[in-house]
Amino acid sequence: MSLSPIGGAAASLCWLACFAMSSLISTSHAIAQGSSNSNTVAWSSFQNGGHVLGSIGAFPTRWSDERGVAWQTSIEGYGQSSPVVWNDQVFVTSTSGPNKENYHLQAFGLADGTKLWQRDFANPSPEENTDYVSRAAPTPVVDAKGIVVLFEGGLLVGLNLTGETRWERKLIEDYGPIKARHGIASSLEQTEEFAFVWIERSEDPYLIAINKQSGETKWKVPGLGSTSWSTPRLVPTESGEHLVCSASGRVVGFDPNSGERLWELADIANNSTCTPVPCGVGRFLVGASDGRGEEHAGKAAESNGLVKIERDQNTGSHSAKFLWRSKKATSSFGSPAVSNNRAMLVNRSGVLFQLDLETGEELSATRVKSGSVWATPIVTAEHVYFFGQKGTTSVISTRSMDETHSNSLWDVTEDPDAGQPSAQSMGSSKVLYAAAAAPPYLILRQGDTLYAIKTEDSAE
């Protein structure tokens, strides 16, 4: 979700960070960086699979609605997923119709925003198109061989990069109806061979691994049975990657090869929207908000922290525990970010907390102009970008760790510090849902508009 306010959603939540912590080169890292060609421009999935951008390109730091927009283009319908990028194409999903009868996958040229092609699909389980449910929230995955798209109505499609369908599945025919509070927002995660699909529905939730080339199910296991709009994330460990899923009240690690449940962390609350953030071998940050009517809202701060995955050398079993917990810092819909050995969290009031990554000690707490963050932060060698829900982006220097620029794509007439989203604001086109990095561009997404940002100071 990326339903960034509800994921990746989640969605583009739709929301999480690229991190400069791990130098481990994994299969999914190779996918994200375009392993088949060192010149490949790739933002291959929600949060780019959680992998570091580093210094792969220069990015803009100053822009507005009158400056720095290389192009903008309209998206048919409305969507909350994150854009994904492969070479010269930007892909976005959306939905249209009073009951979300229609799903759309659109491809735009990275250089000028020209629409290259569009594919339309029928929703196998229509639902009233309201501000209270997800709207094309799950973010696809893409690699050199093609793109896999999930829509919350249970439609899963594999296509090649020119838009030709390779296979199509209606998950409701295989596994039953999908009903969930506010809809499904979990985005796809991937390895070179498989895509991971998490359907955390009200009854009989499940997690499946799909062969990206054939669409066939490799394994299917029960979900977590808790509210969630976050996205599965592959976290490297000494014994291989774990597929980590975060739902309200628990975080669970799975073996991505078999679906075996390896460990569970249950001493947590309000962690339903932020996706786990890898920050080294066997370690990840978990984010939680201060509650939106959920139980145990008072545990929000201590549910933000650094988690370590451990393996018992005698039995081979795994467990997970907090290395430290936050005392005051909480997250919004956007997940934490990591830079300069600091964990960075923006709460619903737009306060940026910077914590020592090793100890959890609070280093600073300052209000940023972005306000509440729904989209995934992006981390580069020089800057950290926090994309405010109302259209203002705060740029943090990795040298000073202070806010050096703030940029608005449209006139922000409301109070940017009002962090509590309303149903009306969630349905508005004036919501900045997601961002993707495609050097030298930043690609930003509203519900019905796509922007490419490129300014003259992008070499700073």
Side-chain angles (χ1 to χ4, degrees), residues 181-202:
R181 179 187 174 197
H182 300 307
I184 297 294
S186 179
S187 298
L188 300 177
E189 174 66 297
Q190 69 173 339
T191 61
E192 185 174 3
E193 186 176 3
F194 297 101
F196 301 99
V197 184
W198 186 17
I199 305 297
E200 193 60 34
R201 58 187 176 182
S202 301

Side-chain angles (χ1 to χ4, degrees), residues 106-363:
Q106 298 163 74
F108 299 92
L110 178 61
D112 58 11
T114 299
K115 182 183 285 190
L116 303 176
W117 51 263
Q118 177 174 325
R119 298 295 176 263
D120 304 315
F121 307 94
N123 184 349
S125 50
E127 180 178 8
E128 185 180 359
N129 195 350
T130 76
D131 297 340
Y132 297 92
V133 298
S134 55
R135 297 176 172 183
T139 297
V141 291
V142 63
D143 62 16
K145 296 179 180 179
I147 183 168
V148 178
V149 183
L150 170 69
F151 293 100
E152 63 265 33
L155 184 67
L156 186 66
V157 186
L159 307 95
N160 64 23
L161 295 179
T162 60
E164 297 174 339
T165 298
R166 297 184 297 176
W167 52 264
E168 180 176 323
R169 291 186 59 178
K170 296 179 176 65
L171 298 181
I172 62 169
E173 294 180 357
D174 297 332
Y175 308 125
I178 297 175
K179 293 294 183 182
R181 179 187 174 197
H182 300 307
I184 297 294
S186 179
S187 298
L188 300 177
E189 174 66 297
Q190 69 173 339
T191 61
E192 185 174 3
E193 186 176 3
F194 297 101
F196 301 99
V197 184
W198 186 17
I199 305 297
E200 193 60 34
R201 58 187 176 182
S202 301
E203 296 182 5
D204 193 23
Y206 59 89
L207 177 67
I208 56 177
I210 298 292
N211 184 295
K212 292 193 294 184
Q213 302 306 308
S214 67
E216 296 177 349
T217 298
K218 179 185 181 182
W219 52 254
K220 175 178 178 288
V221 297
L224 275 62
S226 300
T227 299
S228 182
W229 305 290
S230 70
T231 291
R233 176 63 66 236
L234 287 165
V235 175
T237 76
E238 293 179 352
S239 57
E241 290 180 316
H242 290 191
L243 186 66
V244 179
C245 297
S246 177
S248 185
R250 65 188 64 186
V251 182
V252 178
F254 296 87
D255 183 336
N257 296 307
S258 66
E260 177 188 0
R261 187 177 290 216
L262 300 174
W263 52 264
E264 178 174 332
L265 179 68
D267 187 16
I268 192 170
N270 293 342
N271 56 307
S272 59
T273 55
C274 295
T275 296
V277 177
C279 51
V281 177
R283 304 198 309 175
F284 63 89
L285 283 172
V286 64
S289 75
D290 54 1
R292 289 170 300 283
E294 297 182 69
E295 296 181 358
H296 311 298
K299 295 185 65 174
E302 65 181 66
S303 293
N304 290 265
L306 182 64
V307 176
K308 181 180 180 181
I309 302 169
E310 296 182 317
R311 183 173 184 267
D312 188 297
Q313 297 301 318
N314 295 321
T315 65
S317 62
H318 293 84
S319 62
K321 67 177 183 180
F322 276 100
L323 293 179
W324 55 259
R325 296 173 179 264
S326 165
K327 294 182 174 63
K328 297 180 181 178
T330 58
S331 299
S332 181
F333 289 116
S335 298
V338 175
S339 180
N340 280 357
N341 209 39
R342 297 183 180 205
M344 307 175 73
L345 302 82
V346 176
N347 70 11
R348 291 195 296 148
S349 297
V351 175
L352 168 61
F353 292 90
Q354 299 189 41
L355 311 178
D356 184 284
L357 185 62
E358 299 303 319
T359 66
E361 176 188 359
E362 184 178 307
L363 302 176

